[in-house]
Amino acid sequence: MPARRSTAAGTSRNSGSETSPGSEDPAYKLKRKKNNEAVQRTREKTRKSAEERKERIEKLKVENIMLTQQIKSEKGHISTLRKLIIKGRTNEEQDRLIDEILNNSDYGNNHNNDVDDNEENDDVADTK
């Protein structure tokens, strides 16, 4: 790679040209002022964008938690329905439970115990 040569422009940079920082030229000051304003706008836009991203991330985290809970609930519904199907017998309590699952999307996993209780009751009835 060849060595860099000094040019006249390179030496004039420190010799008080119109664009030097020490210049009292109003055009230079105006140019610097506009540049500083542009930098501030850019920085503000970047800050705003970062804040919006953080807010969106937080909303997505909350939504993810809600969806995870919904999946867990739906898996509970499936489990309850499977147990009822495998059992093969129906009674009013099972019919009520199926209707509740199918008609109410807020049906919770707590109700899975109803099927287990029914199975125990049926087992006791079968032994009598």
Side-chain angles (χ1 to χ4, degrees):
M1 181 179 219
R4 293 181 122 189
R5 294 184 186 181
S6 285
T7 60
T11 57
S12 68
R13 194 179 338 172
N14 295 330
S15 63
S17 71
E18 292 180 22
T19 60
S20 69
S23 175
E24 297 296 323
D25 182 23
Y28 174 77
K29 286 184 176 183
L30 180 62
K31 191 176 192 181
R32 291 302 312 142
K33 182 180 177 188
K34 285 183 179 182
N35 180 263
N36 289 340
E37 290 169 354
V39 167
Q40 289 302 316
R41 284 191 306 269
T42 301
R43 288 178 182 163
E44 183 59 34
K45 185 177 176 182
T46 302
R47 270 191 287 272
K48 185 178 178 185
S49 177
E51 287 176 21
E52 289 171 355
R53 271 193 309 276
K54 284 181 182 179
E55 289 174 9
R56 186 159 196 294
I57 287 169
E58 289 304 314
K59 286 180 183 178
L60 290 173
K61 283 181 180 179
V62 169
E63 182 181 0
N64 191 27
I65 290 169
M66 289 173 47
L67 290 172
T68 301
Q69 290 171 345
Q70 186 178 356
I71 289 170
K72 184 178 179 182
S73 174
E74 296 301 325
K75 284 182 179 180
H77 297 167
I78 292 168
S79 175
T80 301
L81 292 171
R82 274 192 184 137
K83 288 177 184 177
L84 293 174
I85 290 169
I86 290 171
K87 194 170 181 182
R89 290 175 281 161
T90 61
N91 61 32
E92 289 179 21
E93 179 65 19
Q94 288 175 343
D95 290 341
R96 181 198 59 78
L97 192 57
I98 290 171
D99 287 341
E100 189 176 343
I101 289 171
L102 296 176
N103 296 325
N104 184 359
S105 64
D106 293 334
Y107 180 81
N109 285 331
N110 314 9
H111 293 84
N112 287 339
N113 296 336
D114 292 348
V115 173
D116 295 336
D117 293 343
N118 288 338
E119 288 173 355
E120 290 173 11
N121 292 340
D122 289 343
D123 291 342
V124 171
D126 289 340
T127 58
K128 288 185 180 177

